[in-house]
Amino acid sequence: MILVKAPLRLSFFGGGSDIPTHFLTHGGTTLSATFDKFVYVSLMRTPQPHIKVAYSSTQYATTLEDVKHDIVREALREYKISSHLEISSFADIPTVGTGLGASSAFTVALVAGLERLTQPPTAQSIPSPYHLVRQAAKIELDRVKSPIGYQDHIAAAYGGLLLAEYFSQKNNPDNPFAVQRLFTRVLSPTIFDCLFLVKMPERQVSANVILSEGMQSAQVQQLAEVAKHAKSCVQQNHIRDFGELLHECWQLKKQANPNITTPEIDAVYQRSIDAGVLGGKLLGA
């Protein structure tokens, strides 16, 4: 059996600039961090002539085309596996609709497992984080056509507090992104001592609709530029500036796409601000 885990992430700044339709023309920058909750994927060869996929439900398929899970089906197609395999997935916390990058963490973990399954287990066969991102993005963006970007795959593959830069085809046609892992000073409190998560109610407008609507390129670039300023805040442990940047970006996003919020979300956010919170954002779409 092969067991792989990939971390969930908190996205802070620059979301939208990591989508290829944007950054291949304009470039982009995102800042995100993973935390100590994971998505796990197990893979095991089986003598049974089927593909078994177990997650929130369990399904058996005798042909690749019968696999209902889009990411699993396209990943197996990419690695030329059509039978005699069982795949299971589970997580430390509920992930459906939480905006923590779970689908991309699942894809990265699945790709890592398939790489090991199809390659001899040597030190040279261990895939690099860069390779995992490219393969996961190929499956989830190109094959499944999910309306997302590279940011979540980068977080799951690299882990840590990350500044990712995305390059236009003109500036770097061969390498679409570069990743810098940031380290904060050992100070107390740090930015991460000052964060908390609030579970929001489900929205009637789906995340995919919001993502597909997108924002204007100029607005996305403005958010990407803020990510660069946030990098300095992290490195210098300027907590107040970091929070105020989150608040500034939240206002920009609401102006760019009214569907991104709801009266319930606005009410929770305002109560938080009234209680002394510096700023916040929605995770995911």
Side-chain angles (χ1 to χ4, degrees), residues 35-57:
F35 62 108
D36 61 346
K37 303 298 176 189
F38 298 86
V39 171
Y40 303 84
V41 175
S42 67
L43 303 94
M44 187 170 65
R45 294 284 193 183
T46 175
Q48 300 296 323
H50 65 222
I51 297 169
K52 176 185 175 183
V53 186
Y55 48 111
S56 57
S57 62

Side-chain angles (χ1 to χ4, degrees), residues 122-273:
T122 65
Q124 289 73 26
S125 70
I126 297 175
S128 68
Y130 182 88
H131 178 74
L132 291 177
V133 173
R134 294 302 301 270
Q135 286 294 94
K138 180 179 181 181
I139 291 163
E140 201 169 1
L141 275 66
D142 298 343
R143 291 181 179 270
V144 178
K145 305 296 183 185
S146 296
I148 61 174
Y150 276 63
Q151 176 182 195
D152 294 352
H153 301 115
I154 287 173
Y158 283 84
L161 177 59
L162 306 170
L163 184 82
E165 294 191 76
Y166 309 90
F167 307 121
S168 67
Q169 282 185 318
K170 178 180 178 182
N171 291 336
N172 199 330
D174 298 323
N175 297 309
F177 65 88
V179 180
Q180 179 183 2
R181 185 176 283 116
L182 306 177
F183 295 93
T184 58
R185 299 175 184 175
V186 184
L187 299 174
S188 185
T190 68
I191 287 170
F192 296 100
D193 295 318
C194 302
L195 299 175
F196 64 93
L197 299 175
V198 178
K199 179 70 171 71
M200 300 304 298
E202 293 288 332
R203 290 173 292 179
Q204 296 196 354
V205 178
S206 76
N208 282 345
V209 169
I210 294 169
L211 284 166
S212 63
E213 288 174 348
M215 292 185 288
Q216 297 296 320
S217 294
Q219 295 168 325
V220 174
Q221 275 303 97
Q222 191 174 3
L223 294 171
E225 287 300 316
V226 175
K228 299 176 184 179
H229 297 306
K231 171 188 172 182
S232 298
C233 295
V234 168
Q235 291 177 319
Q236 299 174 42
N237 207 50
H238 290 169
I239 296 171
R240 177 167 294 277
D241 292 345
F242 189 90
E244 290 174 351
L245 283 176
L246 280 175
H247 182 71
E248 176 186 331
C249 286
W250 175 236
Q251 304 308 315
L252 288 172
K253 284 190 173 183
K254 287 200 299 181
Q255 294 171 17
N257 187 344
N259 281 331
I260 206 169
T261 190
T262 66
E264 292 80 10
I265 291 171
D266 288 339
V268 171
Y269 189 89
Q270 189 57 51
R271 287 203 302 274
S272 302
I273 296 296

Side-chain angles (χ1 to χ4, degrees), residues 19-127:
I19 297 175
T21 52
H22 176 85
F23 76 72
L24 289 177
T25 301
H26 305 283
T29 308
T30 58
L31 191 148
S32 64
T34 57
F35 62 108
D36 61 346
K37 303 298 176 189
F38 298 86
V39 171
Y40 303 84
V41 175
S42 67
L43 303 94
M44 187 170 65
R45 294 284 193 183
T46 175
Q48 300 296 323
H50 65 222
I51 297 169
K52 176 185 175 183
V53 186
Y55 48 111
S56 57
S57 62
T58 301
Q59 58 179 271
Y60 293 85
T62 54
T63 68
L64 199 55
E65 287 67 27
D66 291 335
V67 176
K68 296 178 181 179
H69 195 294
D70 292 340
I71 293 173
V72 172
R73 184 184 62 252
E74 297 308 319
L76 295 181
R77 196 188 308 279
E78 172 69 17
Y79 285 89
K80 298 179 173 55
I81 298 173
S82 58
S83 187
H84 298 84
L85 184 65
E86 297 190 353
I87 299 171
S88 298
S89 176
F90 41 98
D92 287 323
I93 57 175
T95 58
V96 177
T98 55
L100 299 173
S103 70
S104 296
F106 169 81
T107 309
V108 166
L110 178 61
V111 165
L114 291 170
E115 288 276 340
R116 176 50 61 91
L117 191 72
T118 56
Q119 298 290 333
T122 65
Q124 289 73 26
S125 70
I126 297 175

